[in-house]
Amino acid sequence: DDGSFQNKKTKLAKKLTRQDGSLMTLAQSKKLSQITAENAQWENRQLFRSGAVRRTEVQMEFDDEDERRVILLVHDTRPPFLDGRVVFTKQAEPVMPLKDPTSDMAIIARKGSLLVREFREKKSMNKSRQRFWELAGSKLGRILGVEKTAEQIDADTAVVGDQGDVDFKHKLKFSQHLKEKAEAVSDFAKSKSLSQQRQYLPIYTVRDDLLGVVRENQVVVVIGETGSGKTTQPTQYLHEDGYTRTGLVGCTQPRRVAAMSVAQRVSEEMETVLGDEVGYAIRFEDVTCPNTKIKYMTDGVLLRETLKDSDLDKYRVIIMDEAHERSLNTDVLFGILKKVAARRRDFKLIVTSATLNADKFSKFFGGAPVFHIPGRTFPVNILFNKMPCEDYVEAAVKQAIAIHITSGPGDILIFMTGQEEIESACHALAERMEQLISSSTKAVPKLSILPIYSQLPADLQAKIFQKAGEGTRKCIVATNIAETSLTVDGIFYVIDTGYGKMKVYNPRMGMDALQVFPCSQAAADQRAGRAGRTGPGTCYRLFTESAYQNEMLPNPVPEIQRTNLSNVVLLLKSLKVENLLNFDFMDPPPQENILNSMYQLWLLGALNNVGGLTNLGWKMVEFPLDPTLAKMLLMGNELGCIDEVLTIVSMLSVPSAFFRPKDREEESDAAREKFFVPESDHLTLLNVYLQWELNQYRGDWCNDHFLHVKGLQKAREVRSQLLDILKTLKIPLTSCHMEWDVVRKAICSAYFQNSARLKGVGEYINCRNGVPCHLHPSSALYGLGYTPDYIVYHELVLTTKDYMQCVSAVEPQWLAELGPMFFSVKD
Ligand code: ADP
Ligand code: MG
């Protein structure tokens, strides 16, 4: 009777077209929804039998030849293991790291900075800096406000002063004596040898006590101010005390940058080459050797090592550094390492934290002793803004210039939320310094402007630690990376915007996204503390005292309570943690989030109907990749194109390879277009890599084609590491030999949750939730002339619109075939 059903459906479809004329949703009609359900049953008998399908809906389209195509959208599917436990009417809501979503700070955080927007526009208008300056004094220049900013500068210098914007609440004027002392301290690092510097650190005075406590206890919690030596010293003390004779001393960091930078520092202090006795490991980069005794690594790397070696036998001691940050991986490691400590009596665990509420850590580890490193800090004069400041980036730039002109020696540290803000702030600072120099009759002291954020190349990052030239003031513009992870000496002035970026699960996008939020009181206090490391300092808070009291949370919300847990769930499942809801979490994530992540993994086929790992799931765990990318890779294997997919996954795992210099945007855009594969950005990435390979991986070839050679080299390294994993899994390298439709199908299999269908010019709507999303202007599909009906995308980026990043055209029947829980299709 399938035939008659077909007939019935055709008739009804035609009828609806006449009524409406355009795209229709059959589910809107009661009569039709019955048929839809029937259809779903017919299409997804399996799923229905398991009770997974709840509600269905038909979307219909007629193409040019009036040929009918019906897409059936199946809503509310769920694996049986979730039945009765949770109703998936919508995605689980994350715990928001916000005290009050209607507060001034929350609103400002959502709005973002005007200065950043201006900078972005300026960039996209291809207005080179040179040209901008030529405008000064001209009529156009006046219209564009070049002169206006120059005038503003004079007014801005008045910002600091007893009557200025800043409220001098705690009047603490430095005596001349204090200032001299401070200067002496700041010169200290410059004049003393590394070993003298080591002995000057606060932790040095308690070295033997610390070693004593570690000797007598299996787990120790160490508390100390940032900069006291917690990260660089205990590893060396343990090495000196002989612990490394019987295993490694490992030290975990929540941030890649910190792991690399600290390992570098410690290798210098120990006078060895980095990668020999002292090494580091971050994802896709292992700089250790058999001779390594001290290993710094990200917490994610250690977590993955527990897969291979659940007892971590090669480690004698693990130091979990920066525990107060409560990163997702650190939180999971707490539970795992607690078990390791119970199983291995020779194993030592040290947990270090920069904040005082260590009771939680101590309690979690059964009342482990808490060791305090005596602090050596100087008073910090904290100044609050009188009014909430609308544009905190602009305000921070003004404040920095004001300090530079009116205040005594000492470097400046500004806290911003991310790369774009930092770039715009640095640009504005440079611009205003130029204006000052050209408009001032007196000599303006030099200002060295130094950005730091995690995506900044390592050699540029290292610059923040270098001495500034004689008579030059450093102004470091940083993300919260400089809050506790990295310590720079010589900071006397901190400018705190009061905001930070945080990864939070975004139910609308269906994935984690970095968003700006007000930081916590604890974070603000840490930031202020950075000014009092080498002498008495000042912290300018660009928010009000009342905001501090009423709008900021006392402590940050741990990452585990606000992000997607798919990776963690997959990992814990493979560690045979049967019931995730009973895992020993210090602060358990919301149950809904665990279940939601399990649901996502079930959709990808990593979990079976009873919540256990499938064969595919077991294989997915092997790759240090997001579950979606691991799935794409393994589908490449099934479809016989893993060689191609491997390259795409590697390219997606590194920052964009395309280079777009500010003054040569048109030229570089033209160069990029030459690589375009019209129906897919993923295939475009593949094409770039293949061309590079054909040109013997040459650097000059990259330069000629506006490609980042470092990015491509990194992709090549990632590729070879993933290839090693494939070899150990005995998965052969198959190629589809330029049959690129097969590759698109593999891509589709990973992203069927991120699918969208055409609605207008360059405008799509998400197939699952109907949210509009747009092609990014840099996409190969943009301005193609024809836009495919159905596409999948890698991720959404939120700027002025919801842009889909990295898009591929797909055939609708693939969606039905690969994501039967969402789609089915009848022609
Ligand atoms: P803590 O972990 O307690 O915050 P650290 O051990 O990181 O302290 O830092 C101790 C000292 O080592 C600080 O004075 C800091 O300036 C210095 N230091 C740390 N890393 C580097 C580096 N990469 N380059 C130069 N100095 C560094
Ligand atoms: Mg540290």
Side-chain angles (χ1 to χ4, degrees), residues 779-799:
S779 168
L781 280 76
Y782 189 85
L784 246 188
Y786 102 97
T787 25
D789 288 345
Y790 287 87
I791 53 169
V792 293
Y793 57 85
H794 179 60
E795 59 187 12
L796 279 184
V797 279
L798 292 173
T799 50

Side-chain angles (χ1 to χ4, degrees), residues 660-675:
R660 201 164 181 252
K662 282 193 188 86
D663 48 342
R664 295 170 73 188
E665 282 171 350
E666 273 169 37
E667 216 180 321
S668 56
D669 285 346
R672 184 177 54 212
E673 271 168 35
K674 291 204 187 102
F675 293 104

Side-chain angles (χ1 to χ4, degrees), residues 488-615:
V488 186
D489 294 323
I491 302 289
F492 280 73
Y493 307 97
V494 165
I495 300 173
D496 181 9
T497 57
Y499 299 91
K501 260 193 190 151
M502 243 181 249
K503 209 156 94 182
V504 172
Y505 182 76
N506 182 324
R508 195 161 64 85
M509 294 160 79
M511 57 188 228
D512 291 341
L514 280 170
Q515 286 179 43
V516 176
F517 290 101
C519 67
S520 64
Q521 289 170 355
D525 294 344
Q526 275 296 333
R527 291 176 177 192
R530 314 301 0 85
R533 284 258 308 122
T534 30
T538 311
C539 173
Y540 298 86
R541 287 182 168 164
L542 303 180
F543 45 90
T544 62
E545 190 166 14
S546 129
Y548 176 83
Q549 299 296 351
N550 307 317
E551 299 179 22
M552 287 178 160
L553 289 166
N555 288 297
V557 175
E559 192 177 357
I560 200 161
Q561 300 194 320
R562 52 180 156 87
T563 58
N564 184 301
L565 302 171
S566 299
N567 260 321
V568 169
V569 169
L570 200 60
L571 215 80
L572 289 178
K573 281 276 171 190
S574 72
L575 290 170
K576 310 250 164 61
V577 178
E578 293 302 337
N579 191 349
L580 295 176
L581 301 176
N582 290 346
F583 183 75
D584 196 358
F585 288 114
M586 193 175 294
D587 286 308
Q591 214 185 55
E592 267 201 341
N593 284 7
I594 293 189
L595 295 173
N596 193 39
S597 302
M598 287 175 76
Y599 171 62
Q600 307 249 336
L601 290 167
W602 175 79
L603 289 178
L604 283 174
L607 294 186
N608 59 26
N609 282 351
V610 288
L613 280 184
T614 58
N615 276 340

Side-chain angles (χ1 to χ4, degrees), residues 189 194 197 201-203 224-234 253 258 260-266 268-269 296 321-322 352 354 373 462 464-466 484-490 530 533-534:
L194 280 182
Q197 283 182 42
L201 289 171
I203 198 171
E225 295 273 352
T226 305
S228 55
K230 295 184 303 301
T231 307
T232 52
Q233 303 308 306
Q253 296 289 321
M260 292 192 289
S261 145
V262 165
Q264 173 69 44
R265 169 74 176 189
V266 174
E268 278 163 23
E269 289 184 2
Y296 286 90
D321 201 15
E322 304 272 311
T352 77
I373 301 168
I464 64 162
F465 292 108
Q466 287 162 11
T484 59
S485 302
L486 297 180
T487 309
V488 186
D489 294 323
R530 314 301 0 85
R533 284 258 308 122
T534 30

